Amino acid sequence: MYKYNDFDEAFVRNRVAEFREQVERRVDGSLTEDEFKPLRLKNGLYLQLHAYMLRVAVPYGTLNSTQMRQLALIAERFDKGYGHFTTRQNIQFNWPRLKDVPEILELLADVEMHAIQTSGNCIRNVTADHFAGAALDEIEDPRPTAELLRQWSTDHPEFQYLPRKFKIAITGAPNDRAVTKAHDIGLRMVRSEAGDPGYEVIVGGGLGRTPMVGKTVRDFLPKADLLPYLEAIMQVYNLSGRRDNKYKARIKILVHETGLDEIKEMIEEAFERQKRDFRGPPSELLEMIEEAFAPPLFDNTQSLAFDHAQEANPAFRSFVETNVAAHKNPAYGIVSVSLKPIGGTPGDATAEQMRTLADLAEAYGHDELRVSHEQNIILPHVRKADIPAVYARLREAGLATANIGLVSDIIACPGMDYCALATARSIPIAQQISTRFDELKLEREIGPLKIKISGCINACGHHHVGHIGILGLDKAGKENYQITLGGDGTETATIGERTGPGFDAEDLIQAIEAIIETYLGLREDTSETFLQAYRRVGAEPFKQAIYARPEDEARAA
Amino acid sequence: MAREYKPQIVTANDLFEGDVVYFTASHDWVRDLGGAVVAYSKEAAETLLGHASDQQDKVVGPYLAEVVMGEDNRPEPAHFREAFRTRGPSNYFHGKQAEA
Ligand code: SF4
C-alpha cells in the first residue's frame, strides 16, 4: 500500500491545524456561516438533516487493517457506533459534533487518511475497481495510476475552482467494475497492438439530472502521456465549461453541446501544448508508487480444504458461489463481504464489524481491504484454504450474507433519512425489498440482478445504471418512486428507461415483485439474466405487468 | 391569485451539535417543534426569519417551514421532510426520537 512521505504527512497535518483554527473562529463568532461553509466543505464536513456529516476519503477504495480499526474507533467515539460506506468508496460519519471534527481529522491523519476534496468543485477522490491488484481478468493494477492522479489533483491550483465537481474512475480490467462510463473521466486499461498497456479515455459520463454514458475521446493513450492528456481535458473544461448554470456545468454537458469530434480536437490541441512543456513526475516518485502497490508475497501451497468445506457445508458453498471471485493466483480467492444483511441499511458497518474485518484482513488477507462502490467490503487476497475460517468469523459477526450481485445486494443512497438534498427516503425501500425477497425465497432463482436506489435526482445511488433503478421524488407532498429498467453500469453501460408514472411506497414493492415475476415468466432459461431478457424483449411486458391493475391506470391518467 | 397563507415557523440546525432547532417567541431556540413560535402572516414570518438570521453564532441555515395547527394549537409539520426532522432517521432509533 502507498505510504505517506514527509510531504504528504506535513500537508495533511497542516490542513488539520488550519481547520482546527477555522472551527475555533466559527465558534467564537469571527467567521460567519457564509464564510465558514466553503471551508468546512473543503474538509468534507456537511450539515445534513439531523446532524453534521463527515465524509472521509478512502483513496481508490483501499484500506489496511490499522485504518479500518481507526474508522471503528471514530465510529464508536464520535458517531453512534457505525459508519456508512458510500457509492464513492468513501465512508461517512453521520453524527459528529462540530467541535470534535478537528480531533477526528487528527485521528485520521494518524493513519494517513483525510477528508480533503470530498466536496466542492474540485477533482474528487479517484475511484477504482475494487478488485484491483487481485482480479483474474486484470491487465495491470490501476492503483499506481490512481495514486499518481490523487497526488496530481490534490490542491492543484488550476483545479480548485472548476465549473463543477469532477470525478475520475479507473479500471485495469476489461470487465468494468468501476462504472467508468458514468464518470467525468473514465480510464479503462487496454493493450496497444504491440501489447503495451495504456488507457482508453472516456469523457463526459455522469448520472444526475442529465444522465449520460461517457464517450471515448482516445482509444489508446500510452501510460506516459496520461497526466498531460488529463491536464488537456481539464484545461478545455476549465475554459469552456459552463459556469452560468449549475445544472449545465458538468463536463458531460460541454461534450454534449460541443459535439464529440470538436471536443476531441480541442483536447488534442491542448494536449500538444501540454506535452511540449510536460516534464513528468520524477521517475523516483513513480517507482516509489509502483513499489507501494507491488503484489503481496502469495503462498502458493495447494490445499483441498476449500473444496472439502464446500462439499461438507451447503451454506458455505452458496457463500462461495456469490461472494468469492476468481483471483489471479489460483491458490487465492477474492472475498466480498456483503454489507447488505436482509432488512439492514446498505453500506453500514458497526465498529465491531469493522474490527472483525480488520482482524480478518490482518490474519488472512495480506492486510488489505477494499470498499466497493456497491457499498460492500472486499478482502482481495485470501488463500482459498483460509476462506472457510474467514467465513466462520464473518458469520459470527453477522457479515456472511451470501447475496453479492443478487436482488438483496442493493445500492441505496442515504436519502431523506440523512441527506439534506433528498426528495424522498431510499433506505426503507431497500430494507423492504430485501425483506420481501427473502420471504419469497426466490433470490437464487432470480440470479444476477442489480437494484439501485437514489433519494433524489442527484443519483448518488446510481439508479440510472441499475437493472432496476428506483428514484425517490416528492410528488405533491408525498414520497413517490419512479422505476427505470435496463440500466447497466459495466463496459456495456446503458441508462435505464423510465417505465412511466411513479408509485407510492406502499405500491412500489408490489411493482418490483411484478417486474421480477414477469422476468421469471419470460426468460428463455435460467441462464438468461434479467438484463439479457430485458434487452431481448424490451420494456413492454414489464410495463404491462406493473400498470395492468385498474387503479394504476387511473393513477397513470 | 395569491396563495392562501399557511402558518409558518422558523427552523435551523444548531451550530455546535448540528441537530434540528426551532425559534421561539423569546427569540431563543428549542429542540421541540411544540415550542416554536408560529407566524400567521407573511410579514410576521419574514420578521421572525430576520431575527432568527441574526443568530448566526448559534444556528446554521434558518428557514421558514409550513406547519399545520394540531391539538392544543400546537404546530405540526406540514411536509414529510419536516416530519422526519422532528424525529430522526427511520432506519435506526437515533436522533430526536431517541432523546425525547
Ligand atoms: S441521491 Fe440525492 S438523496 Fe441520495 S445521497 Fe445523493 S443527494 Fe442525497
Side-chain angles (χ1 to χ4, degrees):
Chain A
M1 235 179 107
Y2 180 76
K3 295 273 310 152
Y4 276 12
N5 57 23
D6 294 346
F7 176 85
D8 299 314
E9 167 76 17
F11 177 80
V12 170
R13 294 283 176 193
N14 284 339
R15 276 295 282 268
V16 176
E18 186 184 79
F19 190 59
R20 187 182 291 280
E21 230 168 77
Q22 288 161 349
V23 170
E24 277 162 18
R25 288 166 63 210
R26 175 70 182 102
V27 168
D28 73 19
S30 36
L31 284 179
T32 63
E33 185 59 21
D34 284 349
E35 290 161 335
F36 180 64
K37 188 175 172 184
L39 301 174
R40 70 166 155 80
L41 287 176
K42 284 218 176 283
N43 291 284
L45 186 64
Y46 286 72
L47 186 59
Q48 304 240 87
L49 279 185
H50 315 292
Y52 285 100
M53 179 272 280
L54 183 67
R55 180 182 293 157
V56 177
V58 180
Y60 31 89
T62 296
L63 286 168
N64 61 29
S65 61
T66 314
Q67 292 172 323
M68 189 62 117
R69 285 199 190 97
Q70 196 79 331
L71 296 176
L73 180 82
I74 292 167
E76 218 161 52
R77 207 181 280 172
F78 301 102
D79 199 289
K80 295 185 188 292
Y82 70 101
H84 176 73
F85 291 97
T86 76
T87 55
R88 299 265 317 131
Q89 295 181 313
N90 292 324
I91 182 168
Q92 296 184 172
F93 292 108
N94 282 317
W95 303 94
R97 296 172 350 159
L98 179 60
K99 281 187 192 160
D100 292 334
V101 175
E103 197 180 332
I104 301 176
L105 295 178
E106 201 76 64
L107 286 169
L108 290 169
D110 289 347
V111 296
E112 306 188 346
M113 294 183 79
H114 60 69
I116 298 166
Q117 287 184 206
T118 58
S119 168
N121 295 338
C122 54
I123 299 183
R124 303 286 188 90
N125 185 24
V126 175
T127 50
D129 180 0
H130 43 271
F131 289 174
L136 178 62
D137 61 353
E138 184 172 272
I139 296 172
E140 243 179 47
D141 188 343
R143 290 174 305 156
T145 305
E147 172 55 30
L148 185 67
L149 295 180
R150 185 189 71 82
Q151 300 198 7
W152 161 80
S153 64
T154 302
D155 234 19
H156 192 309
E158 218 179 307
F159 312 146
Q160 292 303 300
Y161 296 94
L162 297 171
R164 200 79 176 83
K165 59 184 163 187
F166 203 90
K167 300 175 182 174
I168 302 178
I170 179 165
T171 172
N175 293 309
D176 183 1
R177 287 173 290 262
V179 211
T180 59
K181 289 191 173 166
H183 284 75
D184 296 286
I185 294 179
L187 299 171
R188 207 161 74 95
M189 202 177 280
V190 287
R191 284 193 193 277
S192 69
E193 274 169 26
D196 299 322
Y199 288 105
E200 178 193 358
V201 183
I202 301 155
V203 173
L207 304 175
R209 192 170 297 262
T210 322
M212 285 187 192
V213 172
K215 301 189 177 63
T216 302
V217 290
R218 247 310 177 111
D219 292 313
F220 182 83
L221 182 75
K223 275 169 79 178
D225 285 341
L226 187 63
L227 289 188
Y229 193 85
L230 294 190
E231 269 172 9
I233 298 176
M234 298 313 291
Q235 242 172 44
V236 168
Y237 176 49
N238 235 343
L239 290 172
S240 312
R242 287 180 61 168
R243 290 173 188 266
D244 59 323
N245 179 343
K246 184 177 157 186
Y247 300 122
K248 296 195 186 276
R250 295 290 285 267
I251 196 172
K252 61 189 172 188
I253 305 291
L254 179 68
V255 173
H256 183 73
E257 288 184 350
T258 314
L260 183 60
D261 289 337
E262 203 177 326
I263 275 286
K264 272 190 192 167
E265 238 170 74
M266 288 161 82
I267 296 171
E268 291 297 333
E269 224 180 82
F271 175 54
E272 282 311 313
R273 274 197 312 271
Q274 282 306 109
K275 210 172 144 177
R276 248 184 319 209
D277 303 332
F278 186 74
R279 273 193 211 91
S283 57
E284 314 90 77
L285 174 73
L286 276 182
E287 269 168 37
M288 192 185 89
I289 295 178
E290 300 236 331
E291 257 168 48
F293 292 99
L297 277 180
F298 291 122
D299 171 356
N300 294 321
T301 349
Q302 297 290 333
S303 146
L304 292 174
F306 181 65
D307 303 300
H308 288 159
Q310 283 192 77
E311 280 160 29
N313 181 352
F316 177 64
R317 188 162 64 237
S318 74
F319 176 83
V320 171
E321 246 171 55
T322 45
N323 295 36
V324 178
H327 195 282
K328 59 171 88 168
N329 183 316
Y332 276 71
I334 303 171
V335 177
S336 293
V337 180
S338 166
L339 297 184
K340 324 284 176 65
I342 301 305
T345 303
D348 277 9
T350 64
E352 230 12 79
Q353 290 177 326
M354 290 184 216
R355 289 203 179 95
T356 300
L357 290 164
D359 292 348
L360 288 172
E362 203 173 37
Y364 302 108
H366 295 276
D367 209 32
E368 276 207 41
L369 293 150
R370 305 287 168 72
V371 182
S372 79
H373 79 270
E374 290 176 325
Q375 301 178 288
N376 294 314
I377 300 291
I378 318 296
L379 293 160
H381 312 293
V382 186
R383 226 160 59 91
K384 278 186 183 158
D386 291 331
I387 296 179
V390 168
Y391 172 71
R393 281 289 302 280
L394 289 173
R395 267 187 80 119
E396 286 165 23
L399 286 169
T401 315
N403 63 350
I404 297 295
L406 302 181
V407 62
S408 62
D409 182 12
I410 299 169
I411 289 187
C413 78
M416 208 186 270
D417 285 305
Y418 299 90
C419 179
L421 303 172
T423 41
R425 288 174 297 178
S426 22
I427 293 168
I429 301 299
Q431 290 175 309
Q432 284 167 39
I433 294 174
S434 89
T435 307
R436 180 66 187 138
F437 282 93
D438 185 55
E439 283 164 8
L440 294 173
K441 296 282 167 250
L442 274 178
E443 185 157 72
R444 297 263 155 178
E445 170 77 27
I446 297 163
L449 178 59
K450 291 182 193 294
I451 300 186
K452 301 180 198 273
I453 312 173
S454 304
C456 82
I457 193 72
N458 288 331
C460 304
H462 295 182
H463 64 276
H464 297 114
V465 292
H467 301 163
I468 300 180
I470 298 172
L471 166 63
L473 294 169
D474 171 354
K475 194 174 166 201
K478 203 156 190 256
E479 288 171 291
N480 189 269
Y481 296 88
Q482 267 177 12
I483 299 176
T484 48
L485 295 176
D488 172 8
T490 70
E491 62 283 0
T492 43
T494 314
I495 302 296
E497 280 174 75
R498 251 182 70 186
T499 53
F503 295 84
D504 289 343
E506 308 84 72
D507 301 328
L508 176 67
I509 308 302
Q510 245 184 21
I512 300 296
E513 236 183 281
I515 289 168
I516 293 175
E517 269 168 23
T518 306
Y519 154 65
L520 290 176
L522 60 71
R523 69 179 172 188
E524 285 182 328
D525 55 55
T526 51
S527 72
E528 191 183 41
T529 64
F530 177 86
L531 189 61
Q532 288 163 343
Y534 179 84
R535 284 182 173 160
R536 176 170 57 83
V537 302
E540 220 29 65
F542 300 97
K543 285 189 190 172
Q544 273 177 23
I546 57 176
Y547 297 115
R549 289 161 297 163
E551 70 266 31
D552 288 325
E553 264 161 25
R555 192 176 300 131
Chain B
M1 204 182 84
R3 207 161 67 99
E4 190 202 335
Y5 181 79
K6 300 236 180 67
Q8 291 187 309
I9 50 98
V10 176
T11 178
N13 288 75
D14 183 81
L15 171 62
F16 307 98
E17 302 293 322
D19 61 343
V20 175
V21 290
Y22 301 97
F23 201 48
T24 70
S26 53
H27 293 190
D28 215 338
W29 299 89
V30 290
R31 258 67 193 174
D32 173 20
L33 173 58
V37 57
V38 180
Y40 289 95
S41 72
K42 200 166 165 254
E43 296 70 37
E46 262 150 34
T47 311
L48 208 57
L49 183 61
H51 288 305
S53 304
D54 288 339
Q55 300 204 12
Q56 292 267 340
D57 53 338
K58 289 188 183 150
V59 298
V60 182
Y63 64 91
L64 290 163
E66 283 182 2
V67 288
V68 287
M69 301 314 288
E71 270 172 49
D72 310 331
N73 227 19
R74 280 167 60 96
E76 284 167 14
H79 189 273
F80 63 87
R81 182 180 195 271
E82 289 307 316
F84 297 151
R85 286 179 81 246
T86 66
R87 292 200 295 267
S90 51
N91 59 331
Y92 299 116
F93 193 65
H94 288 158
K96 280 195 189 311
Q97 58 198 341
E99 282 144 23

